[in-house]
Amino acid sequence: MGTGQPRQARSSVIPRYLEQVYWWAYVHPRAVQVFERPWLVNLILFGNYGRLRDAALEALGTSVKGRTLQLACVYGNLTPRLRERLTPDARLDVLDVLPVQLDNLAAKLPTDPRVTLMQGDSSSLTLPDASCDQVLMFFLMHEQPEAVRRATLAEAMRVVRPGGRVVIVDYDQPAPWHPLRPLMRLVFKHLEPYAMDLWHHDLRSFLPAEAPPARLEKTSFFGGLYQMLVLTR
Ligand SMILES: C[S@@+](CC[C@H](N)C(=O)[O-])C[C@H]1O[C@@H](n2cnc3c(N)ncnc32)[C@H](O)[C@@H]1O
């Protein structure tokens, strides 16, 4: 058990959209019990969890050096796998606004002085400018209202160093023929109201105009339903 995981405490207000829209997925005390099952997180992504996780990990590197910031906890084994790739002098900081999610992640990780779990809001980080080598966001963007999404992207671009990378995996607009379009439209309408933004707008359009990435690579998965963006600052 990772109960000895270093933890930086900081009281953060739980964002309204999490309490009002995503209470069932993250905030409710039973949410973790329900969703922390590999088969379920994989089912929610139509069998693509491993592929998307591995794409994100490959984008960060076979061995991950320097300081990596993961914005928001993720169900499943993404973070344990990321930890396994850290070089001996690397560090991984994982920030989430919900203590229950940080506790759940701590339970999935062995005690490791290179890993710190931090409570905080992705849209207003306390880290200094250019203090990270990589930033990872896995299915965070579609859950945030536009203003929060823009602020989170601006913060990610601020804290990553010049030449460092921001790796984002999330939903995208699927191809017109995609058989899951009607189902996903229903899911988003009833459960994930901000996700349709990523169908209607290119994720790049939410990036801060004043800090455009020096380089941007996009990879599409599963008929375009998912995307990975790798931004180099
Ligand atoms: C990364 S997202 C979605 C992950 C994906 N559904 C999964 O688990 O496979 C879920 C996490 O984002 C966190 N989160 C949402 N908004 C946040 C914010 N503004 N700041 C920090 N964490 C946030 C939630 O507390 C939750 O732990």
Side-chain angles (χ1 to χ4, degrees):
M1 296 279 283
T3 45
Q5 209 66 51
R7 174 80 61 89
Q8 283 180 12
R10 181 181 156 229
S11 71
S12 307
V13 177
I14 299 177
R16 253 163 85 125
Y17 64 90
L18 271 185
E19 282 203 297
Q20 293 184 346
V21 177
Y22 283 104
W23 60 269
W24 53 274
Y26 307 115
V27 185
H28 194 280
R30 298 198 67 173
V32 166
Q33 281 169 263
V34 172
F35 286 100
E36 190 55 81
R37 301 165 204 260
W39 65 267
L40 184 55
V41 288
N42 195 31
L43 183 69
I44 290 167
L45 294 174
F46 302 102
N48 288 283
Y49 182 86
R51 191 175 167 213
L52 295 169
R53 173 201 64 206
D54 292 347
L57 293 174
E58 283 309 305
L60 293 170
T62 314
S63 60
V64 178
K65 304 182 185 117
R67 182 182 194 182
T68 302
L69 173 66
Q70 180 186 322
L71 290 178
C73 296
V74 173
Y75 289 130
N77 60 5
L78 170 72
T79 313
R81 292 277 178 96
L82 174 52
R83 189 197 73 85
E84 286 166 11
R85 291 181 178 227
L86 297 177
T87 58
D89 56 353
R91 66 181 280 190
L92 170 64
D93 295 329
V94 185
L95 174 133
D96 201 288
V97 77
L98 293 177
V100 64
Q101 292 296 328
L102 292 165
D103 290 343
N104 180 48
L105 177 58
K108 294 191 285 182
L109 294 170
T111 301
D112 185 335
R114 298 171 301 175
V115 181
T116 303
L117 309 186
M118 309 188 292
Q119 191 187 352
D121 194 306
S122 63
S123 62
S124 76
L125 302 175
T126 54
L127 303 179
D129 294 356
S131 54
C132 300
D133 297 280
Q134 290 96 216
V135 178
L136 170 64
M137 290 178 249
F138 194 83
F139 285 93
L140 176 64
M141 295 282 89
H142 76 281
E143 293 184 347
Q144 298 189 322
E146 179 176 341
V148 183
R149 183 184 311 128
R150 284 184 184 279
T152 295
L153 285 169
E155 283 294 77
M157 292 302 282
R158 179 183 69 76
V159 301
V160 78
R161 66 166 168 80
R165 275 166 304 158
V166 177
V167 176
I168 306 170
V169 175
D170 221 300
Y171 287 106
D172 196 1
Q173 181 172 46
W177 51 262
H178 205 295
L180 292 170
R181 271 180 90 102
L183 174 65
M184 291 314 295
R185 205 181 274 279
L186 267 182
V187 170
F188 291 164
K189 184 173 174 203
H190 294 289
L191 294 174
E192 307 212 71
Y194 310 112
M196 281 305 280
D197 285 0
L198 304 193
W199 282 27
H200 295 144
H201 305 281
D202 195 312
L203 191 43
R204 288 170 265 202
S205 68
F206 302 109
L207 286 168
E210 64 283 6
R215 198 161 153 230
L216 190 152
E217 292 159 72
K218 176 174 173 172
T219 312
S220 290
F221 299 88
F222 200 54
L225 183 58
Y226 310 113
Q227 63 181 314
M228 179 170 71
L229 286 189
V230 180
L231 316 175
T232 306
R233 184 172 158 204

